Amino acid sequence: MNYVSTRDNSYTVTAAQAIFQGLSHEGGLFVPESIPSISAQTLSELAEKSYIERAEYVLSLFLTDFTPEEIKECVTNAYSNKFDDDQPAPLSSLVGDKYFLELWHGPTCAFKDMALQLLPELLKVSMRKVGGAKKAAILVATSGDTGKAALEGFKDVEDIKIMVFYPENGVSPMQKRQMYTQDGNNVSVVAIDGNFDDAQTGVKKIFSNKDYEEELAENGYVLSSANSINWGRLLPQIVYYVSTYCDLLNSEEISVGDKINFCVPTGNFGNILAAHYAREMGVPINKLVCASNDNNVLTQAINQGVYDRNRDFFATNSPSMDILISSNFERLVYQLVGNNSQKTNDLMVQLNAMGQYNLDSDVLEKLKQGFWADFCTEKQVLNTIKTVFDKYSYLCDTHTAVAVNVAEKYIEATGDKLPMVVVSTASPYKFVASVLDALEADHNGLDDFGKVDLLEKISTMPIPTSLSELKTAPRRFDINCAAEDMIDEVKKFLS
Ligand SMILES: *Cc1c(COP(=O)(O)O)cnc(C)c1O
């Protein structure tokens, strides 16, 4: 199976090349030329199997240039002994009238682990296939979750080095600590004076520095990215939608062919797009409910067909969804306009120049058939956490609460009675201050770990070991630089 660019579909690459390259040269994203299908029979068979076996099957459909042995090794390295109870994506039994798909049982307690544990494995194999003996240097700008998940995924991976830049004053104390205590002999972490945009702009500048690219090539290095626009980050996410359907079959909550809904807390549109691909493959999914916070650019796009980023940016209590340019939406647009890359390119050029574009009415109709969208305010996030905890003793984080709230709005608006799976994307301990606020617990004057202990006392939910271990983990990185000097840090690191 080949992959094409959303902005020029005459440009065709193999899966390995798509993963190695990340982004197409004209700025488009790689998508599979066609979506493979999965039959009801196969879903029943997969229901008997483990997560790793299900992942092997799904990956084999998309990575036709990988051998079965390569896929098996990638998946095993990524998912065995890395997740609580060896269950990467456990589904809760009914909480009220909803299921929770918990994607935060990995090393960094957020759903980014699902993809970033596997991406390094896929990249290693892809490099072998495409790039010969080259080494890769991964540069990441992060607003919190991605940086840590990428560090954990890439640490000690042979022939790859990774450097993460985070805004000194733009991440939570727990997230900062997760990063500056990072172990591994091929990693580096730098705090920059500036915000997330400065970090991201700095990284992009390094990527487009041709002189430096040549200098690196002489030393055998290629720059690469662990961003969510890489196909190698999207593909691992398709697996857990297939796997959830299998789990529901297995526990006899549904029968073969029954439809279910998912509600996904959305930022860059990667997670929910993976669910859409699972549906396109034939997993019986009815609606995908797109849940946003106050940065509700997607709510407007899906309800009105107008993608408009000319709006105020809000820093909310679900920070990993504070985003106005949902890059992966481009992949859906490409499909909805009939795989027309010229049209997709025109829309994206318009977005770049004017900050907005409109979808034609027939395209909007198709979009609405598959998706339903609404948003949740910060106050509603806190109320939702409290209500769910009081009623069901189930504790969710702020991002998951956005999805719970919007799932309720969907059910109320449509009366849809199909099973609803809420995608739970982070451990509540990662956003402990907001969760304590929601529970109306007084945490004034407590330090980070005091807050964590308080939440454990109230909730009786155990603290993830990877977070409690941070309390005594030594600080390894104390590098600080101005945004303009980021390249000097990269040079020092790679020389
Ligand atoms: C990244 C993230 C999201 C948003 O996911 P997208 O794939 O960007 O839509 C939601 N919740 C948490 C906790 C995240 O880290």
Side-chain angles (χ1 to χ4, degrees):
M1 148 123 42
N2 279 322
Y3 290 75
V4 296
S5 163
T6 51
R7 299 191 195 181
D8 175 8
N9 59 14
S10 65
Y11 184 59
T12 307
V13 297
T14 61
Q17 215 172 332
I19 291 167
F20 183 62
Q21 212 174 311
L23 196 69
S24 185
H25 55 83
E26 79 300 278
L29 309 187
F30 291 118
V31 287
E33 229 165 12
S34 62
I35 307 286
S37 54
I38 191 163
S39 67
Q41 169 70 25
T42 306
L43 284 171
S44 311
E45 284 166 20
L46 288 177
E48 312 285 311
K49 305 212 158 142
S50 68
Y51 190 86
I52 287 183
E53 290 166 314
R54 292 170 186 169
E56 268 182 75
Y57 181 75
V58 174
L59 261 61
S60 72
L61 301 176
F62 287 96
L63 303 178
T64 48
D65 50 336
F66 284 46
T67 66
E69 293 73 28
E70 284 168 340
I71 291 178
K72 190 183 180 97
E73 194 186 333
C74 286
V75 171
T76 309
N77 288 345
Y79 297 121
S80 66
N81 303 319
K82 300 274 184 63
F83 290 77
D84 299 341
D85 308 321
D86 254 355
Q87 298 285 337
L91 188 66
S92 74
S93 47
L94 274 179
V95 177
D97 57 354
K98 302 174 196 71
Y99 300 89
F100 283 81
L101 170 59
E102 296 178 351
L103 300 178
W104 42 264
H105 290 279
T108 77
C109 306
F111 97 97
K112 303 289 194 290
D113 288 328
M114 298 301 299
L116 280 163
Q117 283 296 312
L118 185 54
L119 178 66
E121 304 295 331
L122 298 177
L123 188 60
K124 265 192 287 185
V125 177
S126 300
M127 276 167 66
R128 267 208 312 269
K129 288 182 187 294
V130 181
K134 284 192 188 129
K135 296 176 282 185
I138 313 279
L139 303 183
V140 180
T142 184
S143 61
D145 288 335
T146 299
K148 176 60 181 179
L151 287 164
E152 275 300 311
F154 282 101
K155 74 174 180 198
D156 295 329
V157 174
E158 224 175 288
D159 296 328
I160 298 182
K161 285 188 156 198
I162 173 164
M163 182 167 237
V164 169
F165 297 92
Y166 69 85
E168 171 70 39
N169 297 315
V171 301
S172 82
M174 192 62 88
Q175 288 173 322
K176 196 180 280 191
R177 198 182 284 262
Q178 275 187 311
M179 288 188 276
Y180 67 56
T181 58
Q182 179 65 46
D183 60 346
N185 60 25
N186 61 337
V187 306
S188 185
V189 174
V190 178
I192 69 140
D193 302 325
N195 58 25
F196 170 66
D197 283 331
D198 299 324
Q200 185 154 49
T201 308
V203 166
K204 281 188 185 157
K205 247 193 229 156
I206 300 170
F207 272 109
S208 58
N209 184 330
K210 292 285 165 212
D211 291 341
Y212 187 50
E213 188 180 333
E214 279 171 27
E215 191 183 318
L216 279 176
E218 279 165 27
N219 298 321
Y221 272 109
V222 174
L223 289 180
S224 188
S225 145
N227 241 303
S228 78
I229 41 159
N230 191 315
W231 176 251
R233 272 194 61 182
L234 211 51
L235 177 56
Q237 299 179 349
I238 299 174
V239 176
Y240 50 76
Y241 290 102
V242 175
S243 180
T244 297
Y245 195 83
C246 292
D247 284 343
L248 287 167
L249 282 178
N250 228 355
S251 56
E252 301 182 357
E253 312 272 321
I254 57 169
S255 312
V256 180
D258 288 352
K259 289 197 167 183
I260 62 174
N261 296 318
F262 284 96
C263 182
V264 188
T266 297
N268 215 12
F269 208 74
N271 202 353
I272 196 169
L273 183 68
H276 172 69
Y277 284 137
R279 176 170 59 191
E280 292 289 298
M281 292 173 76
V283 177
I285 297 170
N286 174 43
K287 279 283 183 215
L288 292 173
V289 179
C290 176
S292 299
N293 63 23
D294 283 316
N295 298 294
N296 52 8
V297 66
L298 287 165
T299 311
Q300 187 188 18
I302 293 170
N303 289 326
Q304 296 164 26
V306 181
Y307 195 105
D308 184 5
R309 56 161 295 202
N310 299 316
R311 59 179 70 220
D312 290 336
F313 173 87
F314 300 104
T316 73
N317 56 15
S318 49
S320 304
M321 294 158 61
D322 291 343
I323 187 158
L324 294 180
I325 303 182
S326 300
S327 312
N328 277 299
F329 196 62
E330 175 172 344
R331 287 184 159 113
L332 181 63
V333 168
Y334 172 76
Q335 191 199 340
L336 293 175
V337 300
N339 295 346
N340 183 334
S341 57
Q342 183 58 54
K343 189 145 195 189
T344 309
N345 185 58
D346 291 347
L347 293 175
M348 296 307 141
V349 166
Q350 208 183 323
L351 178 64
N352 206 14
M354 328 273 284
Q356 87 149 78
Y357 61 85
N358 292 354
L359 296 172
D360 293 343
S361 59
D362 59 318
V363 173
L364 178 58
E365 261 330 290
K366 276 193 269 176
L367 176 60
K368 281 183 166 177
Q369 269 165 30
F371 293 84
W372 193 92
D374 208 338
F375 71 101
C376 172
T377 65
E378 287 191 275
K379 190 146 187 283
Q380 288 170 333
V381 164
L382 300 184
N383 289 339
T384 302
I385 292 173
K386 176 138 177 67
T387 309
V388 172
F389 184 69
D390 287 349
K391 265 188 159 163
Y392 309 110
S393 305
Y394 188 88
L395 190 65
C396 53
D397 95 294
T398 50
H399 304 75
T400 308
V402 167
V404 173
N405 175 266
V406 172
E408 279 162 4
K409 287 171 178 159
Y410 169 75
I411 292 166
E412 173 146 353
T414 62
D416 189 340
K417 297 259 181 342
L418 293 175
M420 171 60 83
V421 180
V422 169
V423 178
S424 175
T425 50
S427 159
Y429 284 102
K430 257 195 130 160
F431 301 94
V432 61
S434 299
V435 173
L436 285 170
D437 285 341
L439 301 179
E440 292 163 358
D442 181 11
H443 58 92
N444 258 333
L446 291 179
D447 69 7
D448 296 339
F449 291 97
K451 289 177 192 173
V452 165
D453 289 341
L454 177 60
L455 186 58
E456 186 177 45
K457 233 178 259 150
I458 296 172
S459 68
T460 71
M461 178 188 199
I463 306 170
T465 338
S466 63
L467 293 184
S468 59
E469 278 171 0
L470 293 176
K471 195 170 176 175
T472 51
R475 179 167 192 148
R476 279 194 71 203
F477 297 99
D478 200 4
I479 311 172
N480 211 298
C481 81
E484 344 28 295
D485 301 333
M486 284 165 59
I487 192 161
D488 299 332
E489 293 303 327
V490 177
K491 284 181 176 168
K492 268 189 247 166
F493 179 53
L494 295 180
S495 67

